[in-house]
Every structure is written in structure tokens, then in C-alpha cells.
Amino acid sequence: MKKYNVAVAGATGAVGIEMIQILEERNFPVNEIRLLASKRSAGKKMTFNGEEVTIQELTHDSFEGIDIALFSAGGDISLEYAPSAVKAGAVVVDNSSAYRMYDEVPLVVPEVNPEAAKSHKGIIANPNCTTAIAAVALWPLHKAFGLKKVIVSTYQAASGAGAPGMNELIDGIKAGIEGKEVENKVFAHPLPYNVIPHIDKFQENGYTKEEMKVTWETRKIFSEPELAVSCTAVRIPTLRAHSESIVVETEKEVTAEAARKILEQSAGVKVVDNIGENIYPMPLNAAENWDVEVGRIRQNIIFGSKGLEFFVSGDQLLKGAALNAVQIAELLID
Ligand code: A2P
């Protein structure tokens, strides 16, 4: 079997670390792994498949001989260095938002639009974490019942702001318990004991960019440019799984039972739905798992027989980022 030279740009970050682990866990056919980060990390060591690998500083010359470059070092770094990777002959799978809405860049959730990856011109974009997690549950329902309107409210973990966000939450919880002042640099307000209805920058229409990403990106991934999607995105003090309450209006008649059956057969979904036993999706259970948990599936009382309401939890670092990126890389070698 052919083996590939793979670079991870942002290897020391919250998502980068997961990318390396998932390449291992899914036995991705790696010949050489090149771990790239900032100057601060250059020379430090990480392990891959039991072997020590020295981290190198990311430069424009980092990609010689690389087949696939997974980027997760932020949008500015992708904008600066992804073109160098493409020039060197690599295919870039970019986890940042930098290229997602470019017409020539496919935006891919492998359970939804794997064929789109084939049309790449060097860069394939990985969606926003909230969008990817919702898409896995929404797509099978769209195929079966036709989505007319989608209304999402999110409960997003600190990991969406990378390792610094996770550290700020952990440090803040400790400081709060010790009666010290809870500092916030990453989040707009202290996150412990709080919920913050503000992720990313506010837009002219009053939505945040995070919220609009759910609208823009779902439409692009589903090839449904007119799909009615709205979102309220909220940061909560959990560590690494995002949850979402989703209400949909459908074109066709739907029941909770029919939706449950469809979701039970859908790739990337785990139906966790037994209210009699207090079983439903929760971030603590979804964390560190590849599947997106879906539960609390019920007929929506506003839209009646053409509406559903449900709750999802998915690991932000995995399906929301690193796992989806590695799945895209797998499409490239299929
Ligand atoms: P480093 O650890 O050396 O700072 P997170 O999203 O968890 O904050 O991770 C961001 C990732 O992006 C880290 O791997 C970080 O490396 C990397 N990174 C940040 N700035 C740069 C830069 N200027 N050049 C290369 N990598 C960078």
C-alpha cells in the first residue's frame, strides 16, 4: 500500500495534537510525519507511532516532499503558508475558516459530500466545528424528509478557542474555588459559572460570525444555497464537546420514530435517546468519541407533523475538527 508524507501545521495545538493521534488510531498510511509549529516549539519532541519526532518551525520551505498538509494553526497562518504547501505539491486540508467560502475550495463533511473533495485545486476546507457536528445529524434528515427551516441554539465548549481557551477555563475554575479573581483574556467575559452568548465578532445584522458560519457553511456543504438556517451560538463552561438544540421544519411529514430510525442507520451518528432511563446526549459522554450523539428526538410542537426537535453533542476537537480533517485526507488516498 502506498504511504504518504504528511505534515501537521499547528502540531502542538489542541486540534493538532488530536490530528496526530487520529492519524495513528486510524492507521493512516504515513511514510514521514512532519510536525510544524511556531519558533517557540521548534526542537521540542512529540511521539508518533511510538517514535520521537522533532517539531520544526513552520516556514515557507516546510513542505518539500509532502503529499498532504493538515493545517490547524489559525486563519492567518493558513493564508500565509497554505499556498506554499500547494506550490510544493501538497494537498492542504485546512481547519481554519480562511478558505471555506472560496468558490474553488471544497468544504467537506465526508458523511455528507465526499465527492466534493475530488474537485479540489490544492486546498480543501474543514468546516466550522458547530457546523460539522450539526451537519452529520441534519444531512440524513434532509435526504429523508427535506429540510425547510433549521433553527440552532448552541452550547459550545472552551476547546473551540484552542488550548488557551481550555486552560483559561481550568485556571478560572481553580481561581474561583480559591476565592481569587477569575481572569479572562481568551473569552469576552469570565467563563466559569457563566454562559456567554457571544462567539467571534458581531456582524452588521446582529448575528456573530460564528452564527453566520453555521448558515453559510451548511448551505455550501449541502449544496442548498437558499436553505433557511439560523443560529444563536453560546459559550458554556465545558471543556471539549459542543452541544446543540436543533429545531427543523420539514417538507415532508415526519415522526420522531421515523427520524430515529433514519439516524440509527446514519454514518457518524450515535442515537442516544431513552428518556425513560435519563439517557440523552451530553458533552461529558460525547467527549473523546468520534460519533455525534443525537437524542431528545421529538415532534416539534410548533411545526407539528412537519417538524422535529432534537439535541446533539459532538466532540469539538474530533468531529468538529481533527477527525473530519483526517477523514478528508482518507478521501484523498481512496
Ligand atoms: P505553538 O505551540 O508553537 O505556539 P491552539 O489553537 O491550541 O492555540 O494551537 C495553535 C497552533 O498553532 C499551535 O500548534 C501553535 O504552535 C501554532 N502556531 C501559532 N502561531 C504560529 C506561527 N506563527 N507559526 C507556526 N505555528 C504557529
Side-chain angles (χ1 to χ4, degrees):
M1 186 186 204
K2 187 173 174 210
K3 291 195 166 186
Y4 296 82
N5 296 337
V6 179
V8 179
T12 53
V15 173
I17 289 170
E18 297 296 335
M19 283 172 164
I20 296 162
Q21 200 173 326
I22 293 169
L23 288 168
E24 266 187 31
E25 287 171 5
R26 293 174 75 93
N27 291 318
F28 195 88
V30 174
N31 176 43
E32 179 202 333
I33 186 124
R34 203 169 296 170
L35 304 182
L36 306 166
S38 77
K39 215 180 193 160
R40 297 179 288 275
S41 305
K44 292 184 187 162
K45 297 196 190 301
M46 296 176 82
T47 52
F48 180 71
N49 280 341
E51 295 196 8
E52 278 201 335
V53 182
T54 304
I55 299 166
Q56 300 176 25
E57 182 185 352
L58 170 64
T59 70
H60 289 287
D61 301 322
S62 293
F63 299 97
E64 214 188 306
I66 291 295
D67 302 303
I68 296 171
L70 306 176
F71 269 71
S72 190
D76 291 344
I77 301 286
S78 293
L79 285 172
E80 182 162 359
Y81 294 98
S84 304
V86 174
K87 218 179 262 171
V91 179
V92 169
V93 181
D94 183 30
N95 189 52
S96 82
S97 62
Y99 297 101
R100 285 182 196 147
M101 298 313 292
Y102 283 38
D103 281 343
E104 69 277 19
V105 174
L107 180 62
V108 176
V109 174
E111 290 85 351
V112 179
N113 60 340
E115 68 294 339
K118 291 194 194 109
S119 65
H120 76 81
K121 300 197 168 49
I123 301 178
I124 301 173
N126 209 34
N128 163 272
C129 44
T130 306
T131 310
I133 288 165
V136 172
L138 285 170
W139 180 247
L141 298 175
H142 185 47
K143 277 193 299 182
F145 309 108
L147 297 179
K148 209 166 156 190
K149 292 179 186 149
V150 180
I151 303 165
V152 182
S153 304
T154 75
Y155 305 75
Q156 295 184 222
S159 59
M166 298 169 87
N167 291 336
E168 183 167 300
L169 175 61
I170 292 165
D171 293 345
I173 289 171
K174 281 189 203 148
I177 289 168
E178 290 166 6
K180 294 181 188 154
E181 194 185 332
V182 177
E183 288 184 6
N184 63 293
K185 291 197 184 100
V186 177
F187 301 114
H189 300 274
L191 187 56
Y193 315 108
N194 204 4
V195 296
I196 307 173
H198 173 190
I199 302 177
D200 210 334
K201 296 192 178 75
F202 283 104
Q203 309 290 289
E204 268 179 19
N205 65 0
Y207 284 84
T208 62
K209 195 161 183 202
E210 178 82 359
E211 291 162 350
M212 290 311 300
K213 283 175 186 172
V214 174
T215 301
W216 297 327
E217 295 181 18
T218 306
R219 288 173 173 173
K220 180 166 175 177
I221 296 161
F222 285 15
S223 296
E224 292 284 8
E226 306 295 328
L227 187 63
V229 182
S230 89
C231 178
T232 298
V234 181
R235 187 78 69 194
I236 64 163
T238 52
L239 264 184
R240 59 174 286 167
H242 284 356
S243 301
E244 306 176 34
S245 163
I246 304 181
V247 177
V248 298
E249 186 186 11
T250 53
E251 302 278 356
K252 295 183 192 159
E253 303 253 320
V254 60
T255 62
E257 202 40 53
R260 204 173 283 119
K261 269 208 184 102
I262 297 276
L263 288 165
E264 272 164 358
Q265 293 155 13
S266 300
V269 169
K270 182 179 176 197
V271 173
V272 178
D273 197 17
N274 183 353
I275 49 175
E277 303 279 338
N278 295 348
I279 290 171
Y280 25 70
M282 288 192 294
L284 274 185
N285 294 341
E288 300 188 31
N289 287 321
W290 288 347
D291 286 340
V292 171
E293 295 190 349
V294 185
R296 297 291 322 279
I297 303 165
R298 58 208 190 273
Q299 200 127 49
N300 173 266
I301 56 171
I302 297 172
F303 297 125
S305 63
K306 290 190 171 176
L308 277 180
E309 186 150 359
F310 52 94
F311 196 76
V312 307
S313 285
D315 191 305
Q316 185 271 332
L317 296 172
L318 298 181
K319 189 60 202 172
L323 172 64
N324 199 72
V326 173
Q327 287 177 304
I328 292 172
E330 288 170 352
L331 295 174
L332 294 171
I333 66 168
D334 260 354

